[in-house]
Amino acid sequence: MIDRTKSLLTAVVLGLACAPALAETPLERGSYLVNGIIGCGDCHTPRGKPPGPFLSGGNKQMGGQAVTANITPDVETGIGGWTDEQIITALREGKRPDGSTIGPPMPVRDYRAMSDDDVKAVVAYLRTVPPVKNVVAKSQYKNPLPASYGPPVGHVPNPPADDQIAQGAYLAGPLGHCMECHTPMGPEGRADMENRLGAGGQDFRLPNGVVTSANLTPTGLSRYTDAQLKTIITTGKRPDGTEITGPMEVSLYAKLTPKDLDAIVAYLRSLPPKG
Ligand code: HEC
Ligand code: HEC
């Protein structure tokens, strides 16, 4: 009897000691990702001043060929009728429940590497967004879409919790697309991740000219301290008083936790220098 009480007590004490004080729920994680570094709303919330209802779709992309989908839980016009598995397949494999392919502005190639935990967290959060009835036009592509973006994704683990650089690579790659913009195009019309990862030099057309992405390898960033680099990423302001312009959404990165921001900086510092 005494033994049993003792072991129960031990279990309670151990349980308390082991429970992380501020464990993030999947819903909180999903909200952090969708409203922060992933920024689904960047494409899926109707543009305008003020913007339209959150995630209700209808923005044109690719010169009007693609129209972003309504991804609110409205059953008729959004994705409210899809199962969790069907939404996960849409995100990581670019397939709708009817088997059709989702067009390339949707960053499926990046999302293939989204971990099982994170993709479930994103779905948990999407379920809580207010449903909006909004019929959007169908995308009409000039060239046929690929039948698939690759073999079935299967199981994707989280980056190891004790590996800061792996955490940073995951944030700056599949989730944040930093490297997608900050790597020059290769011969196949895709960012040349293999040879020129982070070297910058990709051009973005703006209404008033062209802006070129910066070199994020140590060649480009060694002139900044970690603190300066974090200020640039989260506010767009450089130490010399100039501000970055163009497509980089610093308002999303302003919401990064200090731990995630540290991981991104550690990862960028670890990149092989590229001229
Ligand atoms: C860079 C722009 C972009 C981003 C970022 C983006 N999407 Fe999309 N998404 C699109 C476009 C464009 C389509 C429609 C493509 C088509 O019709 O072929 C789409 C389609 C979808 C679809 C298919 C819906 C349907 O009814 O066909 C889902 C689900 C989806 N997106 C969810 C998400 C989620 C969740 C996120 C964030 C994790 C996200 N998207 C981020 C551009 C984007
Ligand atoms: C949609 C494309 C895009 C994405 C995504 C993006 N950037 Fe950028 N970034 C740019 C462009 C373009 C510039 C150059 C802006 C200018 O010179 O006015 C830039 C500038 C910068 C600079 C300034 C460098 C310098 O030399 O002053 C840093 C640092 C940076 N980005 C880091 C990041 C990080 C970290 C991420 C991901 C968390 C990221 N960027 C995501 C396009 C992007």
Side-chain angles (χ1 to χ4, degrees):
M1 188 63 194
I2 287 173
D3 266 348
R4 200 163 159 255
T5 314
K6 216 168 117 193
S7 62
L8 267 179
L9 266 179
T10 316
V12 168
V13 170
L14 272 180
L16 283 178
C18 296
L22 289 169
E24 202 179 24
T25 64
L27 185 54
E28 286 164 348
R29 173 76 179 162
S31 172
Y32 171 69
L33 293 175
V34 171
N35 294 301
I37 188 153
I38 299 187
C40 312
D42 231 21
C43 291
H44 283 280
T45 298
R47 274 184 222 112
K49 284 192 179 151
F54 188 51
L55 301 184
S56 64
N59 292 323
K60 296 211 162 113
Q61 298 187 330
M62 274 179 85
Q65 295 182 65
V67 186
T68 64
N70 177 350
I71 57 169
T72 72
D74 183 58
V75 174
E76 272 169 51
T77 65
I79 57 171
W82 299 18
T83 64
D84 289 3
E85 269 318 308
Q86 286 172 333
I87 301 175
I88 291 172
T89 304
L91 292 180
R92 292 204 301 198
E93 304 191 18
K95 280 248 168 293
R96 297 188 185 86
D98 67 5
S100 59
T101 300
I102 299 168
M106 170 72 185
V108 174
R109 285 199 174 83
D110 275 332
Y111 296 163
R112 286 177 73 79
M114 208 189 283
S115 75
D116 298 351
D117 285 349
D118 281 349
V119 83
K120 285 180 198 157
V122 166
V123 171
Y125 174 68
L126 289 178
R127 297 277 187 216
T128 68
V129 164
V132 179
K133 216 162 269 315
N134 183 30
V135 178
V136 304
K138 253 191 155 17
S139 302
Q140 306 263 1
Y141 298 97
K142 292 195 188 109
N143 296 317
L145 295 176
S148 84
Y149 292 95
V153 170
H155 168 61
V156 183
N158 291 319
D162 59 354
D163 185 341
Q164 193 187 33
I165 290 178
Q167 299 267 341
Y170 178 63
L171 289 159
L175 298 189
H177 318 299
C178 318
M179 308 324 280
E180 195 68 45
C181 282
H182 283 276
T183 300
M185 286 297 180
E188 287 169 19
R190 270 199 229 146
D192 185 5
M193 303 289 188
E194 217 152 276
N195 305 304
R196 306 282 298 149
L197 184 66
Q202 203 183 121
D203 288 334
F204 296 87
R205 228 166 283 283
L206 303 180
N208 52 353
V210 170
V211 63
T212 305
S213 65
N215 186 334
L216 297 190
T217 75
T219 317
L221 295 185
S222 57
R223 64 201 157 121
Y224 299 129
T225 64
D226 286 1
Q228 288 172 333
L229 192 47
K230 290 181 203 172
T231 303
I232 300 175
I233 296 169
T234 55
T235 68
K237 291 194 177 66
R238 294 194 185 88
D240 66 4
T242 60
E243 285 197 37
I244 65 174
T245 54
M248 183 168 151
E249 282 291 339
V250 290
S251 62
L252 297 178
Y253 307 142
K255 297 176 189 151
L256 283 165
T257 61
K259 177 171 166 277
D260 282 353
L261 202 47
D262 283 344
I264 291 175
V265 169
Y267 167 67
L268 296 178
R269 299 287 194 212
S270 79
L271 290 172
K274 300 277 177 198

